[in-house]
């Protein structure tokens, strides 16, 4: 029984890590777009109504994995994407839908 609980805990941890990696990749991609479009963190922050420090923390965690766990809200990610000229869309992960 103890072994089963340990395995379940490890599976949950791996799922959470995978989700965090997906968030990090999305933020990394948005950061690359921001830089390619020569939008400063300060200008982005002004556009999405956060501080430049918030933008920096989000990007630094996603890119360099520093500053603790990063969990920006979906609202913030959507605003970031729009500010750099992109939008997020849902796509099916299988042919079932």
């Amino acid at each position: 029984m103890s072994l089963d609980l340990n395995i379940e805990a490890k599976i949950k941890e791996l799922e959470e890590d995978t989700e965090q990696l997906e968030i990090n990749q999305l933020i990394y991609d948005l950061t690359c777009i921001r830089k390619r479009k020569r939008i400063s963190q300060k200008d982005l922050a002004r556009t999405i109504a956060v501080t430049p420090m918030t933008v920096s923390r989000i990007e630094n965690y996603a890119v360099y994995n520093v500053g603790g766990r990063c969990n920006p809200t979906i609202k913030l990610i959507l605003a970031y994407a729009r500010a750099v000229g992109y939008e997020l869309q849902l796509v099916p992960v299988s042919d079932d839908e």
Side-chain angles (χ1 to χ4, degrees):
M1 178 98 171
S2 175
L3 183 59
D4 289 340
L5 291 176
N6 192 22
I7 290 171
E8 287 177 17
K10 285 291 186 188
I11 290 171
K12 181 173 173 50
E13 185 179 322
L14 287 172
E15 288 171 348
E16 289 172 357
D17 288 347
T18 300
E19 289 170 359
Q20 189 65 48
L21 287 172
E22 290 171 351
I23 292 168
N24 289 358
Q25 183 62 52
L26 173 60
I27 295 169
Y28 175 79
D29 292 345
L30 290 170
T31 301
C32 291
I33 293 165
R34 177 188 65 75
K35 289 178 178 181
R36 192 173 59 243
K37 290 188 169 203
R38 300 181 190 270
I39 300 170
S40 70
Q41 286 183 337
K42 184 177 180 180
D43 289 340
L44 175 68
R46 188 179 307 112
T47 301
I48 64 175
V50 298
T51 66
M53 181 61 74
T54 298
V55 173
S56 177
R57 284 183 182 152
I58 291 168
E59 291 182 353
N60 283 334
Y61 182 79
V63 176
Y64 303 110
N65 216 14
V66 297
R69 207 162 175 89
C70 177
N71 289 308
T73 64
I74 190 69
K75 182 179 177 180
L76 182 58
I77 293 172
L78 289 170
Y80 189 131
R82 281 189 212 108
V84 297
Y86 281 73
E87 65 180 27
L88 301 180
Q89 296 183 349
L90 294 176
V91 294
V93 293
S94 68
D95 293 332
D96 295 341
E97 306 254 342

